Amino acid sequence: MNEQVFLKKYDVCKYPKPSVTADISIFSIFDEGRKNYRKLPDKKLKVLLVKRGRPPFEGMYALPGGFLREHETLEQTAYRELLEETGVECNFLEQLKTYSTIGRDPRGWIITCAFMALIDGASIQVYGGDDATSAEWFQISFRETGCSENGIVWELVLEKDNIRLTALVQQADDAKYQAECPHFTVLEQNGLAFDHALLLADAICSLRRLIGRTNIAFELLPPMFTLSDLQQVYETVLDRKLLTPSFRRKIVELVEETDQFQETVGHRPSKLFMARCR
Amino acid sequence: MNEQVFLKKYDVCKYPKPSVTADISIFSIFDEGRKNYRKLPDKKLKVLLVKRGRPPFEGMYALPGGFLREHETLEQTAYRELLEETGVECNFLEQLKTYSTIGRDPRGWIITCAFMALIDGASIQVYGGDDATSAEWFQISFRETGCSENGIVWELVLEKDNIRLTALVQQADDAKYQAECPHFTVLEQNGLAFDHALLLADAICSLRRLIGRTNIAFELLPPMFTLSDLQQVYETVLDRKLLTPSFRRKIVELVEETDQFQETVGHRPSKLFMARCR
DNA sequence: TTAATAGTGTCTTTAAGACAATATGTT
DNA sequence: AACATATTGTCTTAAAGACACTATTAA
């Protein structure tokens, strides 16, 4: 029996198969209102969540996502679902991890491949006016809050106007140093659908790790930006202050100077930079 | 319609679904014969491959792996398939990435989740005698060989006795700094089944990256080891020499001294250490 | 002029690279 | 004694942390 004959007779359908979805944690950074004309606006890290209009978890919030279709890759699924569900066309999409825990989806046997997407906040606000979708940007807080006997506990808080979604996750003590990001288990979750608190906690960790080791910060900014903007992006993602001279020494090799400057700020205008392509 | 009623009526089978597999790159480090009683044996990084006994790719070599079954996670699939196909029970298994490129498997619509596993080479050789399986440890070489107009080209060579499997992969030039590991495309592959040259190239990159940032090196050694062994493991994985004083300064906080020493080596015996649990 | 941020200089501290020196078993 | 590796010391070089200082604009 040669290869061609074999393949003709091969029935890939004889075993039960899971459904496969892609879920996307899409992050962006927005300027929040400035206090006076001199001050720089604060930046906030946000994630786009969709209010579920049907069971299961009707009325709760979930990451955008959907089913893998024939003749498309998981990356294409992620891109398509993000566009369909939220109207966002992103140009940075990175696969993170596939979740296959038993019972993770009450609808049945469904595994999901998690993605991280990034988009420039300024480009979003332009199209943000139409309410065609129920997608909303939630401000993120994700911090260690203490230490249980089984490991460090982190609190995830997502806020949008009066809506407040929360989760408590625990960092596995064993294997603490075997993976680059901690392995979390969810202790509590309020207002978030499925296992999406876990997906989001993992995604935030990946974002914090990757921003220090790669170029992805530029995906969160418009093509031209100031070094202060760039530093604020790092600080907002990492949730801590950085020292400016040290930050600049490191970042200078990743950016290209332009001859343009900021205008009409209430202080010394900052030079504009671009990401260096190399 | 409440949630329970909805779920009872929900038919997860109405859309076509892919088959899902897990494939495992299992690495180990073996001592190769020493030249004389004084010299330390060389260490070699190896990967366990299985000769395919049926189409497609009959007679070629593939990563061990198999289909995800109902009521198991991908991690369980990986563990089970590794045990069934090769007899190896590993205690380090880490998910890497899910591959869903169209046409990646000639049998049909099959996506695969790639894993990396590590095991102590010394523990293997004990059981290595039985030829119950067709699994073989191949020595790995994975190096940059040049630069095409589209990016850096790497050569993967896998050797076991007279068998030599090779592949050429190209590192994507764009997005070079957006991911922690380069994105490869396969240019050529000889003797390797499916897209496993790609999976393996990615896995080797992940191994090289992770060994410098985590504790996983200890998984490649027995519970007690010398610091020279440990350094050799790093050097073998990274394919370059390290400076001993610098290496020791960094590693000392990850290990715990014992009061035992090597014996019957033709030179000053080395103190034995254990991984520090913290 | 003032408030606020932009941008640079430099000293200190820490880590990494490089190489040399000493230590200690087995044959 | 000689070999080969084990282990430590220290000088050099590079990077990161910390803080202070000067520069520049709109109101």
Side-chain angles (χ1 to χ4, degrees), chain A residues 118-268:
Chain A
L118 301 177
I119 192 161
D120 156 30
S123 78
I124 291 293
Q125 287 178 313
V126 179
Y127 311 108
D130 70 330
D131 288 347
T133 73
S134 57
E136 306 274 10
W137 288 99
F138 283 75
Q139 184 176 321
I140 296 172
S141 158
F142 185 55
R143 288 181 174 165
E144 294 187 17
T145 53
C147 205
S148 82
E149 60 188 56
N150 300 314
I152 298 165
V153 177
W154 297 63
E155 187 184 35
L156 174 66
V157 181
L158 306 169
E159 286 178 298
K160 154 79 185 179
D161 302 332
N162 294 327
I163 309 164
R164 186 182 156 93
L165 315 173
T166 62
L168 275 187
V169 299
Q170 186 174 277
Q171 176 176 343
D173 231 1
D174 60 306
K176 197 162 161 185
Y177 296 95
Q178 289 196 340
E180 289 187 285
C181 289
H183 290 150
F184 291 121
T185 42
V186 175
L187 301 177
E188 267 183 53
Q189 106 184 45
N190 300 301
L192 281 162
F194 304 104
D195 52 358
H196 289 188
L198 177 61
L199 272 63
L200 196 43
D202 285 345
I204 296 167
C205 278
S206 293
L207 173 60
R208 288 180 178 169
R209 177 169 54 86
L210 287 171
I211 201 170
R213 300 187 178 156
T214 69
N215 261 350
I216 59 170
F218 302 124
E219 305 297 330
L220 293 166
L221 285 170
M224 300 232 294
F225 49 84
T226 69
L227 294 187
S228 299
D229 278 336
L230 188 56
Q231 184 173 344
Q232 283 182 355
V233 165
Y234 278 79
E235 291 177 339
T236 307
V237 166
L238 297 173
D239 197 19
R240 64 188 174 87
K241 288 288 172 195
L242 302 176
L243 296 168
T244 304
S246 183
F247 176 78
R248 294 197 171 212
R249 279 194 297 251
K250 282 188 72 169
I251 216 67
V252 74
E253 61 189 22
L254 302 180
V255 297
E256 200 116 21
E257 220 176 78
T258 72
D259 53 3
Q260 291 179 261
F261 286 82
Q262 272 184 319
E263 279 168 27
T264 59
V265 285
H267 47 76
R268 176 174 172 180

Side-chain angles (χ1 to χ4, degrees), chain A residues 3-12, chain B residues 52 54-58 60 67 101-111 192-196:
Chain A
E3 188 125 342
Q4 302 247 308
V5 175
F6 174 87
L7 289 173
K8 200 166 279 175
K9 292 176 77 176
Y10 189 89
D11 181 9
V12 88
Chain B
R52 287 189 57 81
R54 63 178 64 179
F57 302 105
E58 187 167 1
M60 296 173 88
F67 287 91
T101 309
I102 312 304
R104 58 169 295 281
D105 191 318
R107 293 172 296 184
W109 189 19
I110 305 179
I111 68 173
L192 280 163
F194 303 104
D195 51 359
H196 289 189

Side-chain angles (χ1 to χ4, degrees), chain A residues 96-102 104 111-112 183 202, chain B residues 20-24 66-69 71-83 90 92-98 113-117:
Chain A
L96 299 178
K97 185 181 166 182
T98 301
Y99 295 78
S100 57
T101 309
I102 312 305
R104 59 168 294 283
I111 67 174
T112 194
H183 290 150
D202 285 345
Chain B
V20 178
T21 60
D23 288 313
I24 307 99
F67 287 91
L68 174 66
R69 296 183 187 164
H71 313 301
E72 73 178 6
T73 63
L74 285 161
E75 282 72 16
Q76 288 164 347
T77 306
Y79 186 87
R80 176 180 55 73
E81 288 287 347
L82 192 56
L83 184 57
C90 72
F92 178 84
L93 194 63
E94 179 88 358
Q95 199 190 111
L96 299 179
K97 184 182 167 182
T98 301
C113 183
F115 285 82
M116 173 171 70

